Each structure stands twice: as structure tokens, then as C-alpha cells.
Amino acid sequence: MGIEQNKQLVADFMAAFSKKDNVKEWSAFMDDSATWWIIGKPDRFPAAGTKTKAEFVDLIQSLSAVVPEGIQLVPKKMIAEGDAVAVEAVSFADTTTGKRYENQYHILMEIRDNRIQAVREYLDPMHAKEILMEP
């Protein structure tokens, strides 16, 4: 795939991810052997570290109790080279506790054979923990 096709795949993934109850569609963009790494120290931010595709899907599904309408993930800028797409993005979600989740991200995705192979996600982990994981 070319650079523009890789960027489109990432944009399509984020659009699918942003739809409520759409795990089947967005997870189909990921290879079965894909990994998803999230910045942070796992002892301080439970979502941090490397997850398999299945573990990442479980993590996102577990958040539905806190954000029943899902998390909107909006790409702002994309830069691509070879099989890598770097995305600057923002997210928005309303929680059942009345708090608003808004975070900023830098996400690096590796694409091969029209599938997401690996992801490295940088965000404010303490904001995510405070809003999404603490009562």
C-alpha cells in the first residue's frame, strides 16, 4: 500500500472506533497479531504497556460502563512515511459520572498488507485514569 492509502486506512479506523458499539468494525482493521502499546507505568496506570489485539479490545469494551456512548477519536494531523502513519488526535467522551473526557494523543501506527500491525499511543495517562478509571 502507498502512503495515502495508509493514511486513509488510519482515518477509516478512527472513524469506526468513534462509533458507539462498533468493536467488530474497528477491530477488523487490526491484524490478529497486532499489538497496542500505551504510554505509562502499569502500576500507576493499568491501561499502560503492550496489549495484544484481544487485550486491547477487552480494555476498550471495559470502558463502555463509564463511557456508554463511546469515545470520539478525531485525527487532527497525519504524517506518513513508508509503512508508518503518525497521527495527532483528540478525544471526547461524556462519562456516567458526569465528567468529560478530553485527551490529546500522538499515535504511531505501522501498516502492512492493509492491516494495522502495531500501535504506539502517547496520551495524558493521569487524565485518562482520573476520568475513565477512578470512581
Side-chain angles (χ1 to χ4, degrees):
M1 284 183 61
I3 289 172
E4 292 306 315
Q5 291 90 351
N6 287 344
K7 288 168 62 175
Q8 187 61 56
L9 181 129
V10 171
D12 293 344
F13 166 82
M14 290 186 164
F17 184 91
S18 296
K19 295 177 188 172
K20 179 183 173 187
D21 299 326
N22 201 29
V23 172
K24 188 174 183 177
E25 184 180 341
W26 65 256
S27 66
F29 285 88
M30 299 173 68
D31 192 77
D32 288 341
S33 65
T35 58
W36 195 292
W37 174 88
I38 300 173
I39 194 170
K41 299 183 184 302
D43 61 322
R44 297 177 65 198
F45 178 50
T50 302
K51 311 271 185 276
T52 65
K53 176 183 176 178
E55 290 169 334
F56 182 71
V57 167
D58 288 346
L59 171 67
I60 298 304
Q61 287 182 310
S62 73
L63 294 177
S64 66
V66 179
V67 287
E69 297 301 313
I71 297 173
Q72 298 291 309
L73 187 58
V74 180
K76 293 297 184 181
K77 292 182 184 176
M78 285 191 208
I79 299 171
E81 180 177 288
D83 64 358
V85 178
V87 184
E88 182 180 20
V90 294
S91 67
F92 307 94
D94 292 317
T95 69
T96 55
T97 63
K99 296 179 182 177
R100 177 98 167 138
Y101 178 66
E102 295 181 15
N103 215 330
Q104 298 177 27
Y105 303 79
H106 182 272
I107 302 169
L108 180 63
M109 294 189 176
E110 294 177 26
I111 314 295
R112 269 190 320 279
D113 301 324
N114 204 29
R115 304 283 295 250
I116 297 169
Q117 303 294 324
V119 178
R120 295 184 62 80
E121 176 182 332
Y122 301 84
L123 74 158
D124 178 351
M126 293 302 99
H127 175 69
K129 180 181 177 186
E130 175 188 332
I131 303 298
L132 300 176
M133 299 178 176
E134 293 179 351

